[in-house]
Amino acid sequence: MGNSGGSLTTRSTGELHQLIRAAGFTGIEDTETLAEGWQVTDFADAGRRSLVNLVQSTKTPAVMVSFVDSDVGFVEAVTPDGSSWEGLLNREMAESYEIPLEHFPVEPAVTGALAWSAAAGLTPDEQAIRQTLTGSALFAEELASALLVALGIPDAT
């Protein structure tokens, strides 16, 4: 059985685990520190407004990927001004779960990802973003990592 939790990527100058718990995330695991204050934290579950709550408290953009058995990733990203976008990773596998792909159109996700990246002060790679949102991989986590790189998050691998 694969990963059914998620990963959260944000910047924080405070105690990130405290902020994540206060926002409604549970089962918080290790945090990987990247460059320029970016951090990636795995979690078991998140409430419906957890991502928005976290962004409001930290006043920094964040992107979250929720995994379904390591096969599919649901992407949500929010900026402090309330802008957001959603995407789907591993679309081919998502079809086998009968996830309606039409609920996750690629072009609005690419546009949203570019705007999110710019709001975060990053330099995105549009072609790479599109590839992660349309590509397939054995594990959705591979595409999630590639998405972080495509968004321009420093030291993401």
Side-chain angles (χ1 to χ4, degrees), residues 4 12 24 26 29 34-35 40 48 53-55 64 75 82 85 91-92 102 122 126 128 130 132 143:
S4 290
S12 178
T26 62
E29 297 180 19
L34 307 176
V40 180
R48 183 179 171 127
N53 293 341
L54 181 69
V55 169
M64 174 178 81
V75 181
W85 66 276
R91 296 174 77 81
E92 190 175 301
E102 66 273 9
L122 302 171
E126 181 176 350
R130 185 172 281 104
T132 63
L143 292 171

Side-chain angles (χ1 to χ4, degrees), residues 68-119:
V68 177
D69 204 21
S70 288
D71 291 329
V72 178
F74 293 97
V75 181
E76 279 184 79
V78 178
T79 62
D81 71 1
S83 299
S84 64
W85 66 276
E86 294 180 334
L88 184 66
L89 301 176
N90 236 4
R91 296 174 77 81
E92 190 175 301
M93 187 60 81
E95 284 185 299
S96 70
Y97 280 87
E98 299 181 6
I99 295 169
L101 300 184
E102 66 273 9
H103 291 206
F104 299 93
V106 172
E107 289 311 312
V110 170
T111 300
L114 292 170
W116 181 92
S117 184

Side-chain angles (χ1 to χ4, degrees), residues 1-61:
M1 183 168 177
N3 184 5
S4 290
S7 75
L8 171 70
T9 305
T10 190
R11 276 189 187 138
S12 178
T13 55
E15 171 47 47
L16 186 59
H17 284 198
Q18 265 182 324
L19 296 169
I20 292 171
R21 279 187 202 89
F25 291 86
T26 62
I28 299 162
E29 297 180 19
D30 290 337
T31 295
E32 178 185 358
T33 301
L34 307 176
E36 299 176 26
W38 286 95
Q39 299 179 46
V40 180
T41 302
D42 292 335
F43 62 90
D45 198 17
R48 183 179 171 127
R49 293 194 40 85
S50 295
L51 183 62
V52 170
N53 293 341
L54 181 69
V55 169
Q56 288 173 345
S57 71
T58 61
K59 309 246 185 300
T60 62

